[in-house]
Amino acid sequence: MSAVEAIRSIVAKHGKLPVDVATLQDDADLYAAGLSSFASVQLMLAIEEHFDIEFPEDRLNRKTFSSIKAIAEVVTELSEDQQAA
Amino acid sequence: MMNIHAHTPNLELTARARRVAAVATSHADSVDRDGRFPAEAVEAMRTERLMGVQIPTAFGGEGASTAEIAEICSILGQACSSSAMVFAMHQIKVSSLVTHGGDDAWHQGFMARVAGEQLLLGSATTEGGIGGNMRNSICAIEVDGDTCRLEKNATVISYGDQADAILITSRSHADAAASDQVLTVFLKDQYTLEKTHVWDALGMRGTCSDGYVFKGEAPAVQILPRPFAEIAAQSMLAHAHILWSAVWYGIAADAFAKAQAFVRAAARKSPDMTPPGALRVAEASSLLQGVKASIVAALEMYEAARENEDKLSSMSFSVAMNNLKIASSQTILTIINHCMLICGILAYKNGTPFSLGRHLRDAHSAQLMISNDRILGNTSNMLLIHKQDTSLLG
């Protein structure tokens, strides 16, 4: 499963969105789709667990979780960094 | 007057605030007793040109810093909590205009009107059925060509009758998610208010936080160009928690001044005997310093973050502002209670120089205006992932 697909299924499970995640483009605004700040934390926790990464402080902001694409970019970057470390 | 350092008091501005405070003090008891709008104090704010001080000089204001606005809130809070809270709520709305409306012609013109005509801005962010979470709306704004229309069951609009304009939240369109919100400015002649609840409360009685059904129609350009989620995170969160805390600090500081005067008077009568309340004054002094330090630290943090969108929307910033609100709203109650123990029956009775009933009742609103339990719930959720900075100066 690609990172984007994995993230999609995590968003579907933990994002508590009022819309079907399958209808969202990768770059669709998740906040406009109804992602609450509360659910975004649950999303972060599930993503940390799934990819075995930890979001550093400077990534804990709205931008990181603005779209599936944005999450995938940060996850890819962190996976590379944290595996290299 | 622009961008002066957070700690340099602006003497001219504080002198103007003190003149307003003198007016507010003389009407504070009748505002509280009758649960009426502090009309004299707000008129004095207009006379002293305080409504537009935060607006940039380019649009007719004075470009006052958040620290300067907080100092005014604290000065007014020492005089009349309701007047101070009306001023704080107005300035929180102004901060959203200044932060998010500066690039947009209509909102620039509106800022110039606020400064020029000393307009009072009200806020309608609560709605029946959302369970107190202002980041959700049920009502949706309807944009029809160049016009927008909105109807909202606004369970609280503080000083709704007296506001010259109301900034109101709604979903951004009929199909939008509950959290996909916008903020729109409606001028007084662009809306009607039908009163549904009358504010008759324990304290903060002069804020006249009545409930209304709001119906408005205005040019669509009056919708703020940024999503409300950004406005809430980047200007409202910090301004609300800092300016409210400054008002609450003012209430506690005035109670403390009374308690200290009480003990000093006793000590002067019998210099050889330490008055029984002296120790509690020392204890209250320490608590009051803690509240003050928290506000000053939050002001510094906000000044350092305000030009950086990522910092403002970071969890560390939200946690810090939430923590300020929790700490100041809880601590002022302890301080004022100490002061009541010090002054005894003279504090408990109304109409004495040491009366603290109004202070105590007004201060009880602090834990509830955005419930501390809700804020602690949000913070505890963020702390599942955000690691608190444990350095002293970092």
Side-chain angles (χ1 to χ4, degrees):
Chain A
M1 193 167 22
S2 76
V4 168
E5 283 167 33
I7 290 163
R8 275 188 172 276
S9 77
I10 294 171
V11 171
K13 196 167 171 200
H14 299 282
K16 298 190 177 69
L17 298 181
V19 295
D20 183 353
V21 175
T23 64
L24 295 175
Q25 300 289 318
D26 285 351
D27 59 357
D29 186 333
L30 291 179
Y31 296 105
L35 180 65
S36 69
S37 47
F38 201 84
S40 71
V41 168
Q42 275 136 18
L43 201 54
M44 283 182 203
L45 287 167
I47 287 171
E48 283 196 340
E49 181 66 17
H50 180 88
F51 292 98
D52 192 23
I53 52 172
E54 223 175 84
F55 289 102
E57 207 43 54
D58 62 354
R59 295 308 180 99
L60 295 180
N61 56 41
R62 281 182 72 76
K63 210 190 270 174
T64 301
F65 284 77
S66 58
S67 67
I68 290 168
K69 185 163 167 259
I71 300 172
E73 282 168 6
V74 175
V75 165
T76 306
E77 188 189 316
L78 292 178
S79 304
E80 285 165 5
D81 286 0
Q82 293 179 3
Q83 274 159 23
Chain B
M1 199 175 294
M2 233 172 134
N3 292 329
I4 70 164
H5 191 266
H7 294 307
T8 316
N10 181 334
L11 295 178
E12 193 262 337
L13 206 48
T14 54
R16 285 154 66 193
R18 286 190 200 290
R19 288 195 289 268
V20 177
V23 175
T25 301
S26 61
H27 298 281
D29 283 333
S30 98
V31 163
D32 176 55
R33 190 183 52 239
D34 302 336
R36 67 168 181 87
F37 183 69
E40 301 86 351
V42 171
E43 194 48 46
M45 290 172 204
R46 292 191 164 111
T47 306
E48 295 291 345
R49 313 290 295 170
L50 291 185
M51 308 317 274
V53 282
Q54 192 184 171
I55 290 167
T57 47
F59 309 127
E62 301 176 34
S65 67
T66 308
E68 288 170 330
I69 306 290
E71 180 75 302
I72 300 173
C73 289
S74 156
I75 291 170
L76 298 177
Q78 292 170 54
C80 165
S81 330
S82 290
S83 305
M85 194 47 83
V86 169
F87 180 77
M89 290 192 279
H90 164 82
Q91 293 297 342
I92 293 161
K93 292 296 109 184
V94 174
S95 78
S96 293
L97 283 173
V98 171
T99 312
H100 308 280
D103 299 331
D104 171 77
W106 190 86
H107 294 94
Q108 288 177 355
F110 181 59
M111 279 190 266
R113 280 194 61 190
V114 172
E117 301 167 36
Q118 294 291 298
L119 302 181
L120 176 64
L121 306 186
S123 173
T125 54
T126 50
E127 184 174 11
I130 58 167
N133 182 358
M134 66 151 197
R135 293 290 299 278
N136 283 334
S137 285
I138 296 168
C139 68
I141 198 150
E142 177 198 338
V143 179
D144 177 7
D146 295 337
T147 303
C148 66
R149 282 181 209 94
L150 179 62
E151 179 170 340
K152 180 169 186 169
N153 175 18
T155 41
V156 176
I157 305 181
S158 294
Y159 52 91
D161 288 352
Q162 289 81 17
D164 299 307
I166 290 174
L167 278 71
I168 187 165
T169 49
S170 65
R171 288 186 296 126
S172 64
H173 55 88
D175 303 321
S179 60
D180 178 5
Q181 296 165 288
V182 289
L183 183 68
T184 307
V185 180
F186 283 89
L187 307 175
K188 199 170 188 72
D189 59 1
Q190 295 171 331
Y191 58 80
T192 58
L193 293 175
E194 180 199 325
K195 201 167 288 191
T196 51
H197 309 279
V198 172
W199 179 248
D200 178 8
L202 179 70
M204 288 291 181
R205 294 174 53 79
T207 60
C208 299
S209 300
D210 297 339
Y212 302 89
V213 172
F214 173 102
K215 285 183 191 162
E217 181 176 318
V221 290
Q222 294 179 207
I223 303 171
L224 266 91
R226 307 301 305 163
F228 180 66
E230 276 179 33
I231 297 173
Q234 293 171 18
S235 63
M236 267 187 75
L237 173 78
H239 280 94
H241 291 342
I242 290 172
L243 299 185
W244 290 348
S245 293
V247 172
W248 300 333
Y249 170 79
I251 303 171
D254 189 57
F256 177 79
K258 286 183 197 298
Q260 191 179 21
F262 184 87
V263 168
R264 268 172 50 77
R268 284 167 63 161
K269 280 203 186 88
S270 357
D272 302 330
M273 220 173 65
T274 307
L279 222 63
R280 285 203 192 277
V281 169
E283 214 176 346
S285 165
S286 158
L287 292 170
L288 191 65
Q289 181 178 317
V291 175
K292 180 171 169 166
S294 299
I295 297 171
V296 172
L299 279 166
E300 282 178 355
M301 189 178 197
Y302 181 54
E303 288 303 329
R306 68 184 306 166
E307 302 305 329
N308 184 332
E309 227 168 89
D310 285 347
K311 273 192 188 165
L312 284 180
S313 57
S314 70
M315 279 196 186
S316 57
F317 187 74
S318 303
V319 168
M321 293 301 137
N322 284 356
N323 285 345
L324 167 69
K325 196 274 177 178
I326 296 293
S328 52
S329 62
Q330 289 177 348
T331 312
I332 58 160
L333 282 173
T334 312
I335 295 171
I336 299 167
N337 191 51
H338 269 45
C339 296
M340 193 166 264
L341 287 169
I342 294 163
C343 303
I345 195 74
L346 287 178
Y348 194 72
K349 278 170 66 175
N350 293 324
T352 84
F354 302 101
S355 298
L356 289 175
R358 175 162 55 81
H359 297 68
L360 199 57
R361 287 185 290 103
D362 289 342
H364 268 284
S365 68
Q367 302 178 98
L368 312 175
M369 51 190 294
I370 307 190
S371 148
N372 278 8
D373 285 358
R374 176 182 299 281
I375 292 179
L376 285 169
N378 286 339
T379 306
S380 61
N381 188 46
M382 286 190 278
L383 287 173
L384 294 175
I385 193 146
H386 158 71
K387 288 164 280 300
Q388 188 142 335
D389 179 4
T390 52
S391 70
L392 180 62
L393 302 176

